[in-house]
Amino acid sequence: MKIFGIGMNYAPHNKEVDGALYKTSHPVLFTKADSSLLKGGRPFFLPDDLGRIDHEAALVVRICRLGKGIPRRFARRYYDAVTVGVDFTARDVQQRLQREGLPWDLCKGFDGAAAIGDWLPLGEEGLGGLRFGLDINGKTVQRGWADDMLRDADELVSYISQWFTLRTGDLLFTGTPEGAGPVAIGDHVEGWINERKVLEFNIR
């Protein structure tokens, strides 16, 4: 199983990170180790040696068939379900890596850094119209709308398949909206799609 993530896919988040609204020339693609997967409501254990850890809520799609070099017009056939995930990011580490021109693996792929919720089946419309959010300790910290993505899931699946063979069970974190911020021990995390709770776990 492969876990893919997309950075800088919501303009307001780009502004809060870099101070400007923009769209990158190509999708910002990164991967996470399979040991980063966290599911079933298991707690996220906050690393004590990575500095600040931020939550980045995202819609996550599940790949449902084998594919390589997928044309965009056929990409919808290759994912069948969606959930909310949290792309945990070691922010201090990420900033150091960016300064040094290094890849993001260390700040994105550590154990537990890819939390996912329960899967919801998708219809022919795909992610169109879906709203999602993340609450921490009962307070909304992130809200997003799939239609605001700079690159939709079809484009992302097609792009990734030019480089990697997609297999059943691979996961794609499609990017985070504005509002990313730090988590702390004792936090209670909940994720929603169209007001339906699909994700719940604790930070320890």
Side-chain angles (χ1 to χ4, degrees):
M1 182 195 67
K2 299 182 292 298
I3 304 173
F4 300 101
I6 301 296
M8 320 306 286
N9 202 27
Y10 287 83
H13 175 63
N14 298 351
K15 184 175 181 179
E16 72 180 357
V17 171
D18 286 344
L21 298 169
Y22 63 92
K23 181 177 180 178
T24 58
S25 58
H26 299 283
V28 177
L29 177 65
F30 58 89
T31 60
K32 290 173 172 277
D34 58 4
S35 60
S36 70
L37 186 63
L38 184 71
K39 60 182 181 179
R42 297 199 307 272
F44 172 70
F45 289 93
L46 197 67
D48 57 10
D49 57 351
L50 295 181
R52 171 175 160 171
I53 304 295
D54 281 4
H55 60 78
E56 295 191 10
L59 288 173
V60 183
V61 297
R62 183 179 66 192
I63 302 300
C64 62
R65 59 195 298 185
L66 182 71
K68 181 74 166 72
I70 303 164
R72 178 174 177 168
R73 66 184 182 276
F74 298 134
R76 175 62 193 86
R77 303 177 183 177
Y78 288 82
Y79 58 97
D80 66 348
V82 64
T83 190
V84 169
V86 180
D87 166 25
F88 284 112
T89 303
R91 191 68 71 198
D92 295 335
V93 176
Q94 184 185 43
Q95 291 171 352
R96 175 178 59 81
L97 294 172
Q98 288 174 324
R99 287 194 304 269
E100 297 175 2
L102 298 174
W104 288 3
D105 300 62
L106 296 179
C107 70
K108 293 282 194 178
F110 55 92
D111 288 355
I116 61 170
D118 299 326
W119 295 106
L120 300 179
L122 283 170
E124 288 299 319
E125 70 281 2
L127 301 186
L130 290 185
R131 295 185 180 274
F132 66 103
L134 193 75
D135 295 352
I136 295 183
N137 302 327
K139 179 182 178 181
T140 299
V141 293
Q142 288 189 271
R143 281 288 184 262
W145 188 26
D147 293 352
D148 285 339
M149 287 193 294
L150 298 174
R151 293 183 170 87
D152 64 19
D154 289 356
E155 180 177 352
L156 296 174
V157 167
S158 176
Y159 178 79
I160 293 169
S161 76
Q162 310 309 310
W163 304 92
F164 300 92
T165 297
L166 297 178
R167 300 183 185 279
T168 300
D170 288 348
L171 306 179
L172 169 58
F173 284 67
T174 59
T176 194
E178 64 183 323
V183 294
I185 292 174
D187 284 347
H188 183 68
V189 180
E190 298 171 291
W192 306 81
I193 293 179
N194 289 350
E195 309 309 320
R196 178 173 175 176
K197 184 162 64 175
V198 295
L199 175 70
E200 185 171 13
F201 64 97
N202 295 312
I203 308 292
R204 294 184 180 170

